[in-house]
Amino acid sequence: MKDYTFYIAAAYGFAALVVVTVIAKIMLDYRALRQKLTRFDNKERNR
């Protein structure tokens, strides 16, 4: 039986990279949404 340690480690590394990327995208999207909602709320209060 061959040693598949490298492939297993690469798969875990790739999965971790995907998870970190998705979390970063969600955080950036949340920040942008909060900024837009703040601007919207300020416009509504000024009416």
Side-chain angles (χ1 to χ4, degrees):
M1 187 161 142
K2 294 183 180 180
D3 186 20
Y4 296 107
T5 305
F6 172 75
Y7 298 107
I8 294 170
Y12 274 108
F14 181 72
L17 179 66
V18 169
V19 169
V20 168
T21 303
V22 168
I23 290 172
K25 173 112 174 83
I26 290 170
M27 289 175 65
L28 291 172
D29 187 48
Y30 178 71
R31 184 179 0 158
L33 181 61
R34 276 188 23 180
Q35 289 174 353
K36 288 179 185 178
L37 287 174
T38 300
R39 280 187 263 148
F40 178 74
D41 187 40
N42 289 339
K43 284 183 184 178
E44 289 296 316
R45 289 182 187 204
N46 291 334
R47 286 186 175 193

